[in-house]
Amino acid sequence: MSIYDTLNNKQREAVFYTEGPLLILAGAGSGKTRVLTHRIAYLIEEKGVNPWNILAITFTNKAAGEMRERVDHIVGFGSESIWVSTFHSTCVRILRRHIDRLGFGTNFTIYDADDQKTLMKDVCKQLQIDTKIYKERNLLAAISSAKDEMILPDEYELNAAGDYHKQKIAKVYREYQKQLKANNALDFDDLLVKTVQLLQTQPDILEYYQERFRYIMVDEYQDTNTVQFKLISILAKKYRNLCVVGDDDQSIYKFRGANIKNILNFEDVFEDAYVIKLEQNYRSTETILQAANGVIRNNYGRKEKALWTENGEGDKLVFEQFDNAYDEADYVVSDIREHVREGERSYNEHAILYRTNAQSRIFEEKFVTANIPYKVIGGINFYARKEIKDLLAYLKTIDNGMDDLAVRRIINVPKRGIGLTTVNRVQENATERGVSFYEALRTADMIPGIGKAAAKLVSFVALIEHFKESAKTMLVSELMQEILDFTGYLDDLEEEGKEEAEARKENIDELLSKIASYEESCEDEAPTLSGFLEEVALVADVDSLDENSDYVILMTLHSAKGLEFPEVYMVGMEDGIFPSYMTVTEGDLEELEEERRLCYVGITRAMENLTLTCARRRMIRGEMQYNKMSRFLKEIPVHLFGNKVQSERQEMDVVKANAYVQAKQAFKTQAFSAAKPAQNFGVKTGGGLDYEVGDRVKHMKFGEGIVVSIVEGGRDYEVTVVFDAVGPKKMFAGFAKLQKM
C-alpha cells in the first residue's frame, strides 16, 4: 500500500500537481501539513527532485518543527537537505552568509521589541522629538508598517512631502535605521526587508537561490504581508514551481501587516495558477463545522467553500448568558473541574479563548482559588524577563561588540560603580568619533573628564575580552556558567529578597536548560554562540506551549490559530467585546469581516465540544457596561445549540428569521448606549437609503466624503465612500449612520 493511498482525492490531487503555480485552499483541520509533507516526499521519490532544491516555509517555529519531523519521517535519507523553516529563520540563514554585501557584519544582532523601544528612546532624544506628541510605540508601528510594504526611508520621505507629521516620522525612520546599522543590528522586519534588498541588488546571490529553491511551498499564505510576497515572488520567478497553502477565512493578522489580497488575488498575479480546495475536516464534529460555516458565510470578501466531515454529528453546542463576568468565570471553571473530577478529561484538554488579554484576569483568580493548574499563553515572554535579558546581553556583547544596547545594559550589572554620567560621557565620545560604544570603552582613559571611572571601565573591558577568548573554545553552556561565576550575578540577586531571588534563579536555571537543549539539537553541526542567540531571537510565545503538561490553557483567539483542543470555551461573546467596540461603532466592513474570521478560527479550534458564553454587564476600564450578545452568536443556526433556551436567550430566535431581518435586529441599537430618540441616519423609514452614488455624506469619525458605490446585500446595504481625510472605506449602512450633506 502506497503512503498516498491514505490521502483523500483532493489531497492526492494537491500532492501530484507539482509543476507551475498552485493555490491550495485548505480549510481548518483539512490536513494541509499532511499534504505538504507528502508532496515533498512525492517530489523526491517519484519526480526525482533533489532534496536540496526544496524550500518549505511556514510562520511559527512550532509548525516548522512539526513539518520538519514529519518530513524526516516520510522522506528519510536526504531530508536534512530540505529547508523547512519560518520566514524569519529562512531570511536569517541567507543573511548570515551574505549580509556583508549590504554593509553589515554577518554576526549581526536581532533586536526584540524591548531592544527596539530602547533604541527608539535614544533616537527621539537625539532628534529632540517630543514623545508626548510622537509616542515611541506609534513611531515604531509606523516604521514597521512601512517595512511591511517594503517602503524604505528614502521612499517614505518622498511620500511624506507636504505632511509635517509624516516628515517627522521620516526623520525618525532614517535615524533609527542609521543607528541599527551602527549597532550591526536588525529588527524583525529588517530580516525580511534586507533579504529582499539583497536579492534585488545582488544578481549572483539571486541566481544561486533561484537555482537552489526550484520548488517552493508556503504554508499559511493568507498571513503573508507585502514584503513576504515579494520575497517568495523573487525566489520563484525563474522556475515558477510555487505552491501556496492557506485559508482566506483564517486571515486574522491584518494588525500585523498581513495582506489578505495576497491569497484572494493569487490567480490574478499567477494567471496560469491551478486551484484545489481541501474542504474535508478531520478535526471537528459536524455540529461544530456547521456553526463555523454559518458564521463565515456572512463575509463578502472570501472564496466560496464549506467544511464537512465524516466524524459524525457530535454533541450540540452549549450557550450560556450570565449576569456578569464573575458568574461567567465561575461557570467555566466549575465545568472544567467537573470534567476532570469525573475522569472525562484532563486539564490540558481544555482551552479558554477570549478577544483581549485583559479578559484572562478573572479566570486566573478563579483558577487560583479552585487550585486548578493553568497557563496563560501570550503573557510576559520568558525572554523579556530582566535576568534573562541581562544574561543574553552578556552573550550578545561577546558575540557582537557593536551592539551598543547590549553593552550599555550590562556595563553596571552587577553593580560596578559605573554611573549614568560616565556612560553618557562614553556615549558622547563614541558619537563624536563615529565608533561603537564598546570601541570607545577600549580607549576609556583617553576620554576627557572620565577621571577615576576609567579604571572601572578598563576592568569591564578586560572581563568582556576574557569572555571573548573563552567563547572560542567553550560550549555556550560552559560560557554561560563562566559568566555567572565571574560576574557574581547570582550573588547579586540575593539583595532583592529571598522569594524574588528564588524566582529569578529558577528562570536562570531554565535558560541553562534551554542552552543545553539547543546544544543537543545541533546534531550535524557544531553549536555556536551566534546560533543560540539566533534561535532565542526567533522564538514565539506560542512555541512555549507544552502539550505534555497538564494545565488549562488561556489564550487570545489570535494566539489559538493552528491549535486544537477537545473542549473549547469562547468567552465574552458580546457586541463591544467581540466584535470590538470600535468595529461595532465605526461600521467598517473590512474590520467586521476580519473579526468574523477570528470568530471562525475560534470555533474551528474545538474538536468535540464548544461552549460559548457572554455576560449582560461587564466592568471595562473601570466602568460598568451593558452589552448585547455578539452578532456572531446570531449567525450560528439555533438548532445547533443543545441546552435549554432560557428566557434571556429569546433574542437568539431572531436567527430563524430571514437574513435581512437578522441584520435589522442586530443594527437596531448600539452597544453600550442607552435608549435614544429614533434617528434615521440615512436609512429611510420605509427601507432604502436617503442618499445615492455621487452624494456627499458625513461619518461621525471619518468626516466628509463621496459615495462611490451602493450594493444591496441580503443583510444590509454595502456602501463604499471615498472620504476626504482617510480615502475609501467599505461599510454597512446600518452601522455607518451616514448623513447626507
Side-chain angles (χ1 to χ4, degrees):
M1 178 178 172
S2 165
I3 60 170
Y4 309 110
D5 293 338
T6 61
L7 305 173
N8 65 40
N9 291 336
K10 285 295 181 181
Q11 289 175 332
R12 273 197 296 274
E13 186 181 5
V15 166
F16 298 158
Y17 192 94
T18 60
E19 308 304 308
L22 171 65
L23 169 61
I24 302 175
L25 290 171
S30 61
K32 61 185 176 62
T33 304
R34 185 179 178 81
V35 168
L36 285 173
T37 51
H38 280 70
R39 194 171 189 272
I40 290 170
Y42 184 77
L43 283 168
I44 296 169
E45 294 173 357
E46 305 298 330
K47 304 294 286 187
V49 175
N50 189 326
W52 172 270
N53 294 135
I54 299 173
L55 169 65
I57 297 180
T58 187
F59 269 79
T60 68
N61 295 315
K62 184 174 184 292
E66 288 176 359
M67 191 183 296
R68 171 92 264 168
E69 193 175 315
R70 292 200 207 181
V71 166
D72 290 347
H73 177 71
I74 293 177
V75 174
F77 181 75
S79 67
E80 68 281 354
S81 299
I82 305 165
W83 276 28
V84 181
S85 62
T86 65
F87 267 104
H88 290 97
S89 296
T90 299
C91 290
V92 168
R93 289 181 75 174
I94 294 172
L95 293 174
R96 287 285 183 213
R97 300 176 186 181
H98 309 290
I99 199 172
D100 55 316
R101 298 278 192 98
L102 299 179
F104 286 78
T106 53
N107 62 332
F108 59 85
T109 300
I110 302 170
Y111 277 1
D112 63 16
D114 285 342
D115 296 330
Q116 288 179 264
K117 288 175 191 172
T118 304
L119 182 60
M120 183 54 73
K121 283 180 182 176
D122 292 344
V123 169
C124 290
K125 185 178 179 181
Q126 185 170 330
L127 297 179
Q128 297 182 321
I129 299 292
D130 187 347
T131 53
K132 291 180 181 177
I133 299 174
Y134 299 92
K135 296 189 184 303
E136 289 142 359
R137 68 174 181 272
N138 294 342
L139 291 169
L140 285 168
I143 291 170
S144 180
S145 294
K147 290 181 181 180
D148 283 346
E149 296 299 318
M150 197 64 199
I151 298 173
L152 305 181
D154 286 345
E155 185 181 350
Y156 194 95
E157 194 168 29
L158 198 63
N159 295 341
D163 187 323
Y164 179 78
H165 179 73
K166 286 190 175 180
Q167 285 175 339
K168 278 279 189 185
I169 297 174
K171 285 183 180 178
V172 172
Y173 187 5
R174 187 175 295 282
E175 182 61 29
Y176 175 77
Q177 291 304 118
K178 180 182 174 184
Q179 292 202 24
L180 275 173
K181 189 167 186 180
N183 291 355
N184 194 33
L186 305 179
D187 63 21
F188 265 74
D189 297 316
D190 279 332
L191 296 176
L192 296 157
V193 170
K194 295 300 179 187
T195 305
V196 172
Q197 275 187 291
L198 185 71
L199 297 175
Q200 287 177 333
T201 59
Q202 308 297 320
D204 58 323
I205 294 175
L206 174 62
E207 172 74 13
Y208 171 79
Y209 284 105
Q210 284 182 335
E211 282 296 326
R212 167 147 196 187
F213 301 131
R214 299 188 181 198
Y215 290 86
I216 300 174
M217 280 161 269
V218 184
D219 194 9
E220 305 288 4
Y221 189 67
Q222 76 282 345
D223 294 335
T224 55
N225 58 28
T226 300
V227 70
Q228 288 164 337
F229 169 75
K230 286 192 175 183
L231 173 67
I232 293 304
S233 299
I234 291 170
L235 288 173
K237 188 173 182 180
K238 185 170 185 179
Y239 289 99
R240 303 184 80 253
N241 295 322
L242 174 62
C243 167
V244 300
V245 185
D247 181 5
D248 51 298
D249 289 335
Q250 295 187 73
S251 179
I252 59 172
Y253 294 124
K254 183 182 177 184
F255 69 99
R256 291 184 190 167
N259 187 351
I260 193 173
K261 291 180 181 177
N262 286 350
I263 191 166
L264 292 179
N265 299 341
F266 186 79
E267 298 121 292
D268 297 331
V269 177
F270 300 93
E271 295 180 358
D272 57 337
Y274 189 61
V275 180
I276 297 171
K277 295 180 183 180
L278 304 182
E279 296 171 292
Q280 183 175 356
N281 176 283
Y282 292 91
R283 173 189 299 152
S284 307
T285 64
E286 184 63 38
T287 297
I288 290 169
L289 296 184
Q290 283 185 38
N293 289 334
V295 170
I296 201 63
R297 71 166 60 101
N298 291 278
N299 271 5
Y300 290 112
R302 65 185 294 261
K303 292 179 178 289
E304 188 59 41
K305 55 191 167 305
L307 296 176
W308 61 276
T309 186
E310 295 178 347
N311 290 346
E313 183 180 344
D315 293 337
K316 296 288 187 181
L317 309 184
V318 175
F319 168 79
E320 295 288 350
Q321 185 176 33
F322 300 93
D323 184 54
N324 57 58
Y326 290 95
D327 292 345
E328 177 186 50
D330 267 334
Y331 168 80
V332 172
V333 172
S334 297
D335 201 44
I336 293 171
R337 182 169 50 198
E338 187 67 19
H339 290 165
V340 176
R341 185 189 300 151
E342 295 296 322
E344 299 170 4
R345 299 283 188 205
S346 55
Y347 288 121
N348 63 6
E349 292 181 293
H350 300 82
I352 300 174
L353 310 182
Y354 37 77
R355 180 64 181 84
T356 63
N357 277 308
Q359 291 171 256
S360 73
R361 181 186 62 82
I362 295 177
F363 290 96
E364 289 188 73
E365 291 174 0
K366 298 291 183 184
F367 280 130
V368 170
T369 304
N371 198 28
I372 292 176
Y374 70 91
K375 180 169 184 178
V376 179
I377 304 297
I380 297 175
N381 190 300
F382 175 77
Y383 297 103
R385 293 181 168 95
K386 179 187 180 301
E387 60 277 11
I388 303 304
K389 288 191 73 68
D390 286 345
L391 295 175
L392 289 178
Y394 270 101
L395 295 180
K396 289 177 182 178
T397 299
I398 295 163
D399 188 52
N400 171 26
M402 292 174 68
D403 185 352
D404 288 359
L405 297 191
V407 181
R408 291 208 307 261
R409 183 180 183 97
I410 60 168
I411 193 169
N412 199 41
V413 176
K415 291 182 177 62
R416 300 185 174 92
I418 301 173
L420 186 60
T421 302
T422 300
V423 171
N424 288 340
R425 280 190 179 140
V426 176
Q427 185 61 63
E428 287 167 8
N429 181 264
T431 304
E432 286 172 11
R433 294 168 54 200
V435 298
S436 70
F437 185 86
Y438 187 75
E439 190 60 34
L441 286 177
R442 292 165 69 101
T443 54
D445 53 342
M446 306 290 290
I447 298 174
I450 205 71
K452 295 179 181 178
K456 297 172 185 175
L457 298 179
V458 169
S459 176
F460 172 73
V461 170
L463 180 68
I464 297 301
E465 291 299 315
H466 167 77
F467 290 148
K468 287 191 176 204
E469 283 301 311
S470 298
K472 293 177 182 177
T473 56
M474 285 184 172
L475 290 170
V476 183
S477 55
E478 295 169 336
L479 177 62
M480 178 53 72
Q481 194 60 57
E482 181 156 306
I483 290 169
L484 291 170
D485 294 340
F486 273 67
T487 62
Y489 190 91
L490 293 175
D491 295 333
D492 194 59
L493 288 181
E494 298 296 344
E495 296 179 16
E496 298 186 16
K498 186 175 181 181
E499 193 171 327
E500 181 74 13
E502 284 304 313
R504 293 193 185 281
K505 285 179 180 178
E506 287 174 5
N507 289 334
I508 292 171
D509 288 341
E510 184 63 28
L511 178 63
L512 292 168
S513 298
K514 168 63 184 175
I515 295 172
S517 175
Y518 160 73
E519 290 173 346
E520 287 175 10
S521 68
C522 297
E523 297 174 355
D524 302 319
E525 50 191 44
T528 64
L529 180 53
S530 292
F532 173 70
L533 290 171
E534 177 184 311
E535 183 167 309
V536 166
L538 297 176
V539 76
D541 193 42
V542 72
D543 296 326
S544 69
L545 177 59
D546 183 356
E547 294 172 358
N548 297 317
S549 297
D550 195 19
Y551 43 62
V552 180
I553 303 298
L554 287 82
M555 64 196 334
T556 64
L557 287 151
H558 281 103
S559 298
K561 190 162 158 306
L563 303 176
E564 57 184 37
F565 304 91
E567 300 276 347
V568 167
Y569 299 84
M570 289 177 64
V571 300
M573 297 293 292
E574 301 137 35
D575 271 4
I577 302 291
F578 188 39
S580 69
Y581 176 68
M582 296 296 287
T583 303
V584 170
T585 55
E586 290 177 7
D588 189 322
L589 178 62
E590 289 184 6
E591 293 296 331
L592 182 62
E593 295 209 345
E594 175 108 350
E595 293 270 304
R596 187 176 282 113
R597 291 193 291 269
L598 191 56
C599 183
Y600 173 84
V601 166
I603 292 172
T604 54
R605 297 313 93 197
M607 300 165 68
E608 297 176 30
N609 292 298
L610 174 64
T611 300
L612 303 123
T613 65
C614 62
R616 295 187 189 86
R617 56 193 176 98
R618 188 181 297 270
M619 188 72 75
I620 299 174
R621 291 179 292 275
E623 294 181 2
M624 186 61 71
Q625 296 180 341
Y626 297 83
N627 312 320
K628 297 186 304 177
M629 65 174 63
S630 171
R631 66 201 62 217
F632 299 148
L633 284 171
K634 302 170 193 175
E635 294 171 352
I636 298 174
V638 74
H639 72 271
L640 299 177
F641 292 94
N643 55 324
K644 63 182 186 299
V645 180
Q646 304 159 358
S647 58
E648 56 264 23
R649 278 194 61 217
Q650 289 173 358
E651 190 179 355
M652 289 284 287
D653 291 340
V654 74
V655 296
K656 293 180 180 177
N658 63 53
Y660 181 65
V661 175
Q662 264 190 67
K664 284 181 70 176
Q665 178 70 19
F667 303 148
K668 208 184 286 180
T669 57
Q670 179 180 320
F672 305 105
S673 63
K676 295 179 180 178
Q679 299 180 55
N680 287 336
F681 289 112
V683 183
K684 292 180 180 178
T685 307
L689 304 173
D690 66 1
Y691 50 81
E692 56 189 28
V693 173
D695 285 346
R696 283 191 70 78
V697 292
K698 186 175 182 179
H699 185 275
M700 64 178 70
K701 177 183 178 183
F702 302 132
E704 296 182 15
I706 298 176
V707 179
V708 296
S709 170
I710 298 175
V711 179
E712 185 173 356
R715 297 170 294 143
D716 192 7
Y717 292 95
E718 180 190 328
V719 182
T720 304
V721 181
V722 177
F723 290 101
D724 301 341
V726 296
K729 289 280 184 183
K730 283 184 181 180
M731 55 194 72
F732 285 134
F735 283 134
K737 298 181 173 60
L738 298 169
Q739 291 178 292
K740 184 177 178 181
M741 300 298 293

